[in-house]
Amino acid sequence: MKTGQFDEIKSRLKGSVAPIITPFQEDDSLDLETLRDLINWHIESGSHGISVTGTTGEPSSLTLQEREQVMETAIQSVAGRVPVVPGTGSTNHQETLHLTKRAQEMGADAAMVIVPYYNKPSQHALYNHFKAVAQSVDIPLIVYNIPGRTGVNLEVNTLARLKEDCPNIIGVKESNKDFEHVNRVLLNCGRDFLLFSGIELLCYPMLAIGGKGYISATANVLPGKVAEVYNAWEAGNIEEAMQLHYEMMPLNDVLFRDTNPAPLKAALGMMGKIKPRLRLPMDLPSDSIQEEIRTVLNSYGLLNKVGSEMQ
């Protein structure tokens, strides 16, 4: 891999990379037509990139073939308008290799590879896992660190080693509430390393320390507003970015009253965007939480707007 090989995609990967939900039909089969509609809505609303089959896309509820179908549908639907970064990680090393290679073959701009969940590997094992994945492809990788769901934290020193030894590991999505940790990522990996927030309330603060953007589940509901936080920051309108940050906090809060993406799918169902279906063992939130979601959506005027009018 040549030095500077990934400079072009690094310059394009920024702002709000929306992690799209995976829509299902009433019989729980994939609803790829709705997925295409959602992707077009996101791009028209200003999302700077598209990600599928990450946590919000319920990858553990999909078969390997279905994950490939969702990735291919997304890449074809985007058609180069914005970067596409599918999630290709798994708790299984060989599946991760397969999906990451398939993402490259399909034309993905980069792949996002999660820390393997359930296994709780050591830092040494994590290094070997990510290094093997990186060496198996020629596309850039975004490491995905979400210790609350994987049971293990990818330590800064491990990430720095990977960045040094694998030129195509160009960034990290940190769904990590430890803000000291994320500060040290840039200190140890360098300011050119792409740092994305996966914690909604840290999307704006992450920009202030040198983050490149965020991969926020809330973008599924308010893609335009979520993108505007970055646009305002990049334009130097700090007060506007801060105002948008606080404006969205009630929505951020209610969308995590239950495990993501259950509240999101309930919300999108209320908005008429999808059939609100999850596959077991995931399910929709309780009636009381759904009523709370409805109240918050109504306060944002989201229940009175449908289709392309919604920003």
Side-chain angles (χ1 to χ4, degrees):
M1 298 177 189
K2 299 177 182 178
T3 302
Q5 180 179 354
F6 304 111
D7 287 352
E8 190 272 338
I9 185 59
K10 285 180 72 173
S11 69
R12 295 176 59 218
L13 273 175
K14 60 184 180 180
S16 176
V17 180
I20 311 295
I21 58 100
T22 300
F24 298 126
Q25 301 277 11
E26 293 291 349
D27 63 358
D28 284 349
S29 61
L30 293 178
D31 186 350
L32 297 178
E33 182 178 352
T34 295
L35 177 62
R36 294 185 190 97
D37 290 341
L38 289 173
I39 288 170
N40 286 328
W41 174 48
H42 272 273
I43 295 174
E44 291 164 4
S45 298
S47 293
H48 304 99
I50 297 294
S51 181
V52 292
T53 57
T55 302
T56 304
E58 295 174 79
S60 59
S61 296
L62 305 177
T63 66
L64 205 59
Q65 182 182 21
E66 286 174 331
R67 290 186 67 170
E68 292 187 42
Q69 285 180 278
V70 172
M71 291 194 303
E72 188 168 31
T73 298
I75 292 165
Q76 291 177 351
S77 298
V78 171
R81 290 176 287 174
V82 296
V84 182
V85 187
T88 59
S90 166
T91 192
N92 181 291
H93 180 70
Q94 291 301 320
E95 284 186 4
T96 301
L97 290 172
H98 172 79
L99 287 168
T100 308
K101 290 175 183 177
R102 289 291 292 128
Q104 175 173 314
E105 292 165 0
M106 292 174 188
D109 295 281
M112 183 171 65
V113 184
I114 194 170
V115 169
Y117 38 91
Y118 182 75
N119 293 326
K120 298 184 71 174
S122 68
Q123 296 299 305
H124 174 73
L126 286 172
Y127 172 83
N128 288 333
H129 169 72
F130 282 110
K131 184 177 180 180
V133 176
Q135 291 179 337
S136 74
V137 293
D138 292 320
I139 58 171
L141 302 183
I142 304 292
V143 174
Y144 181 13
N145 189 31
I146 179 169
R149 294 188 84 150
T150 62
V152 62
N153 184 44
L154 182 67
E155 300 295 342
V156 171
N157 289 342
T158 307
L159 185 59
R161 283 183 65 204
L162 287 166
K163 187 257 186 179
E164 181 68 24
D165 296 344
C166 306
N168 58 332
I169 294 182
I170 63 170
V172 62
K173 175 186 177 182
E174 282 285 356
S175 292
N176 197 324
K177 293 183 177 181
D178 182 349
F179 205 53
E180 290 188 17
H181 170 97
V182 296
N183 275 268
R184 295 185 187 282
V185 166
L186 289 184
L187 177 66
N188 288 270
C189 294
R191 298 282 294 279
D192 63 331
F193 199 61
L194 305 188
L195 173 63
F196 290 89
S197 176
I199 298 290
E200 275 58 34
L201 295 190
L202 295 183
C203 290
Y204 168 71
M206 204 79 88
L207 297 175
I209 65 167
K212 193 70 171 182
Y214 37 81
I215 304 172
S216 167
T218 303
N220 281 273
V221 174
L222 273 180
K225 291 285 188 185
V226 173
E228 282 174 21
V229 174
Y230 177 81
N231 293 340
W233 174 267
E234 188 177 44
N237 299 325
I238 309 305
E239 186 61 37
E240 179 185 351
M242 189 184 303
Q243 178 59 34
L244 288 166
H245 166 72
Y246 285 110
E247 182 181 321
M248 287 189 293
M249 279 183 64
L251 182 61
N252 288 331
D253 288 344
V254 80
L255 290 178
F256 287 87
R257 287 285 188 262
D258 199 346
T259 304
N260 181 47
L264 268 183
K265 284 197 159 181
L268 288 169
M270 294 171 194
M271 292 161 61
K273 302 297 289 183
I274 65 168
K275 298 178 180 69
R277 300 285 301 178
L278 294 95
R279 287 178 175 174
L280 293 172
M282 298 291 288
D283 205 349
L284 290 170
S286 65
D287 290 345
S288 61
I289 292 177
Q290 289 200 51
E291 186 56 38
E292 188 178 356
I293 293 168
R294 187 181 300 277
T295 298
V296 173
L297 291 179
N298 193 52
S299 73
Y300 284 83
L302 291 172
L303 299 185
N304 300 319
K305 299 180 181 181
V306 295
S308 62
E309 296 178 359
M310 194 183 323
Q311 295 298 314

